[in-house]
Amino acid sequence: MTDTTTFGLHEGSAPSGRRTRLVVHFGGHKTGSSSIQETLQAGNDPKNGFVFLFCGHPNSSAMMQNAFLLPEKLLSIRASEATRADLPAMRDWARTHLRRIILEGIAARPEGPLILSAESISSFVPEEVDMMLAFFQDLPVEPEFIGYIREPAAYLRSSYQEILKLRMPPNPVFAPAEATVLPLTHHAVVETLDRRVGRERVQVFIYDRASFPEGSVVRHFFSLLGVDPGAFTRIDSNQGMSQLAVKLLYTYRRLGDCPFANRGPRRVEHKFAEDLGRLQDVPFELHPELRDKARAVNSHIFGWAEARLGRPFPEPEAKAGTGIRSEADLLRFSDEELAKLSAHAAEFGISTADLSADPRAVAEVLCRIRQSYG
């Protein structure tokens, strides 16, 4: 599949007139996706004009990764819970499950569209997009795509937090020569989708709250569907983590010498991460040098976005503080930060008499906190 002309019907597929509209929301990270997903789930009833495809969680990212990621990429994400031998079964299960929920959605016969939402699609490479489209092509659906994009440095700052929350691979991206643990390339899946299915079937918007109705991306998304969001409660969530929370999570993922670090039930790991995320501190930010480098590496996106979307990215607000530049920054803790960790540990009845600025001592305390979740 190389261009828009190849996205048609296979022999034996349902005729075009009988194909159901499938709206695929592809994120990206920190563009209000969780709020959109949870609002969709809360109002998931054909009477409201749509059917939300629910795979056990409002965010279908994990299922889409298991179904369509290239093997090496999927292994890097699932390294703590899967081996290469597990991948065929994971892929078959995910595709079978996705097919089932799509067919169940069609059977519900909504007047409006089926909706699938997964931020992970925003990082799909062309081969992964092709596998996804081939899968949709064998079903009686007509896919279209809706997504939001952010200025590259803001996207990278936000997606890094998501990587940590969902579990960082045992060997994170780390280039000593560049003094950074952060990948600097912005995934521009929109360009791939434009080429594969045609721009008329890909709606993309700059994530800018000032441009949305009532400042809400949820209201903006529902306006694109032609659905009145007033029929159900709008849910706003997932506002991002503080710098201290990011440092603690990174230290736990990188140095946690405990059998459950980066393992165990995802719901428990997620709860652990969410609780750390409530620790008060300055917002997580990249160091200005890293922001400048990210903008330089992704400079083509600025011109592309203005041409594709008809407007430039809003200039990011300058924030106080030096921000994170390297792994050393992520593993360095002040007395104030250690005091906040001690207070958090005390809520679980955990002593921190042996806590010091040594990141391995910090990781040990975090492991004891995580163990208390069961």
Side-chain angles (χ1 to χ4, degrees):
M1 189 175 292
T2 56
D3 53 43
T4 58
T5 62
T6 61
F7 192 80
L9 293 174
H10 288 314
E11 185 177 352
S13 297
S16 180
R18 293 171 54 194
R19 296 172 78 85
T20 299
R21 181 187 179 199
L22 172 65
V23 174
V24 181
H25 168 235
F26 58 88
H29 292 307
K30 287 296 181 292
T31 58
S33 296
S34 294
S35 297
I36 290 171
Q37 291 157 356
E38 292 175 21
T39 304
L40 286 167
Q41 177 59 20
N44 194 15
D45 187 325
K47 294 178 182 178
N48 286 329
F50 65 88
V51 165
F52 182 52
L53 302 178
F54 183 71
C55 66
H57 191 279
N59 182 356
S60 295
S61 283
M63 180 177 65
M64 297 300 284
Q65 289 170 335
N66 290 345
F68 303 116
L69 285 192
L70 295 172
E72 295 303 323
K73 192 169 170 186
L74 183 56
L75 272 176
S76 73
I77 295 172
R78 303 283 184 258
S80 63
E81 55 195 56
T83 66
R84 186 176 298 277
D86 297 319
L87 296 188
M90 289 173 62
R91 176 153 292 171
D92 288 347
W93 184 90
R95 292 186 179 186
T96 298
H97 187 53
L98 178 58
R99 180 180 296 274
R100 179 177 63 79
I101 65 173
I102 288 175
L103 293 176
E104 288 176 352
I106 292 172
R109 302 186 64 82
E111 295 182 3
L114 307 182
I115 305 171
L116 176 70
S117 181
E119 295 101 308
S120 61
I121 297 172
S122 67
S123 64
F124 276 16
V125 299
E127 295 90 337
E128 293 159 350
V129 171
D130 288 345
M131 284 190 284
M132 175 180 66
L133 292 179
F135 176 86
F136 289 148
Q137 195 170 16
D138 282 331
L139 288 164
V141 295
E142 195 72 30
E144 60 188 75
F145 297 84
I146 298 176
Y148 299 85
I149 61 174
R150 300 182 69 166
E151 190 268 346
Y155 167 84
L156 294 168
R157 178 190 67 215
S158 300
S159 62
Y160 182 64
Q161 295 180 64
E162 293 303 305
I163 290 169
L164 281 175
K165 284 169 63 178
L166 295 173
R167 297 177 185 166
M168 175 174 282
N171 297 308
V173 176
F174 180 46
E178 299 296 328
T180 177
V181 296
L182 301 171
L184 294 178
T185 303
H186 189 305
H187 298 295
V189 72
V190 179
E191 296 171 277
T192 300
L193 291 172
D194 280 352
R195 291 193 298 269
R196 297 306 198 260
V197 304
R199 285 177 54 165
E200 70 279 3
R201 291 165 65 181
V202 183
Q203 296 187 71
V204 58
F205 304 90
I206 287 175
Y207 182 73
D208 178 13
R209 290 184 179 182
S211 68
F212 299 147
E214 300 179 24
S216 169
V217 68
V218 175
R219 287 199 170 275
H220 182 264
F221 182 80
F222 277 87
S223 72
L224 300 176
L225 300 178
V227 173
D228 179 11
F232 39 88
T233 303
R234 188 181 82 215
I235 299 174
D236 296 309
S237 64
N238 205 10
Q239 299 302 312
M241 294 186 290
S242 69
Q243 188 153 289
L244 174 57
V246 170
K247 291 169 65 175
L248 291 172
L249 265 180
Y250 181 80
T251 302
Y252 167 75
R253 303 282 188 222
R254 188 78 166 123
L255 302 177
D257 186 16
C258 40
F260 42 80
N262 299 312
R263 294 175 176 84
R266 276 183 177 264
R267 59 179 178 77
V268 177
E269 290 283 301
H270 185 72
K271 172 65 174 171
F272 171 69
E274 288 293 304
D275 285 349
L276 288 178
R278 296 187 181 96
L279 293 179
Q280 295 299 308
D281 194 50
V282 297
F284 174 68
E285 184 56 270
L286 303 183
H287 189 281
E289 292 178 12
L290 209 57
R291 290 201 303 268
D292 291 345
K293 189 178 293 185
R295 291 175 69 107
V297 168
N298 297 282
S299 59
H300 74 284
I301 291 179
F302 292 93
W304 167 81
E306 188 162 0
R308 174 68 167 83
L309 307 177
R311 57 169 296 193
F313 284 102
E315 281 297 313
E317 297 179 5
K319 295 184 178 180
T322 57
I324 299 297
R325 172 172 47 193
S326 67
E327 183 174 45
D329 292 336
L330 288 163
L331 298 175
R332 184 182 298 116
F333 295 93
S334 68
D335 290 343
E336 181 182 359
E337 290 171 330
L338 294 174
K340 291 178 180 179
L341 175 58
S342 292
H344 183 61
E347 296 175 7
F348 298 86
I350 294 171
S351 170
T352 55
D354 55 349
L355 180 60
S356 71
D358 180 344
R360 293 192 180 276
V362 172
E364 171 60 26
V365 169
L366 290 167
C367 280
R368 295 205 299 269
I369 294 173
R370 164 60 181 83
Q371 189 172 23
S372 70
Y373 285 77

